[in-house]
Amino acid sequence: MERPIALLPKAHLHLHFTGSMRHSTLVELAARHGVHLPQALAEEWPPHLSAADERGWFRFQRLYDIARSVLREPEDIRRLLREAAEDEAAAGARWLEIQVDPSGYAARFDGLTAALELVLDAARAAERETGVHIGLMVAANRTRHPMDAKALARLARQYADKGVVSFGLNNDERRGRALEFEGAFRIAKRAGLLSAPHGGELQGPRSVRECLDELAADRVGHGVRAVDDPYLVERIATQGVTLEVCPSSNVSLGVVSDVAHVPLRRLFDGGVPIALGADDPLLFGPRLAEQYEIARSVFGFGDTGLAELARMSIRGSGAPEWLRKEMLAGVDEWLSRSPGEPGAREGASGGGTGHSPDSVNAP
Ligand SMILES: [Zn+2]
């Protein structure tokens, strides 16, 4: 018998702001603000995507931009974060690190600083309402000029003790190398922010190495292609850099042909710290709990292995020390409870499909 994943305390470290929106909310806000949604975001949702080439990535980005354009009023931003936090609570996340590029909202919400303050304020409100603690990752866009990234890093620095916990770098890896953003990440690291750039998703080991060498990465968004270089895997494990692995995203964007090809098991067995993430559930469908379900059903993680994945997500997070301790204790408690115990199966979704008992040990 298996313990319910929804009761396992965990941290969600890879979720984009617009990409966290509920599809029903997208449809509702689009109607309210008179935004026409293409079929891929309306009747034919979720869209069929592929990022195997730049054209595929462009289409993904275009759909993302349309989705973002339904966020018109401060209340839309508040609603998005409140609902994201509700969904995280349902998945058992006690800490959410959501990433936002304030430049995408600056034009509509009175500039970079005001946009960031609105998001921070909305995050505080969502925390109060749901009990899920929220940290912000300010993320730069690698297809824009490195000077823009520096400006964002300086902005993030101002809010380092006020809700911003990490600094990221996103968008198409083929169109902006990590090393060009060294200056921005230096500013962020000096301010005590975690460095968490995307890398090793669309490009191979070199992209991940640049994140480690040039951006002093504490975490890497995706990083799955590191698996092509055994020495790099060993280095990531030794340095304790967390990879934010997002199985559903990898399948949707064609990074792998099939979910079984996500190198989750190989990275885990290689001792790499892993934090499972949903990336953009608005465009891909599955949310956080489903990523743990995939670990269980596709990769044979028993409850001991799932607990270790949860611990790694917590250790890699920017959550305050007291919360990390509380969450880690919660993981131990989850594991110590017998799966059949009353209350332990609350919210379980069927289960009992006869996977082998824990063959998975901590790395
Ligand atoms: Zn991402």
Side-chain angles (χ1 to χ4, degrees), residues 14 16 198 222 279:
H14 199 115
H16 294 269
H198 281 59
H222 300 288
D279 207 0

Side-chain angles (χ1 to χ4, degrees), residues 13-16 57 60 99 169-171 198 201 221-222 244 246 249 253 278-280 284:
L13 310 183
H14 199 115
L15 184 69
H16 294 269
W57 183 272
F60 161 68
Q99 52 182 298
L169 180 68
N170 58 34
N171 214 312
H198 281 59
E201 177 191 19
H222 300 288
E244 302 158 6
C246 308
S249 164
L253 287 176
D279 207 0
D280 297 296
F284 309 140

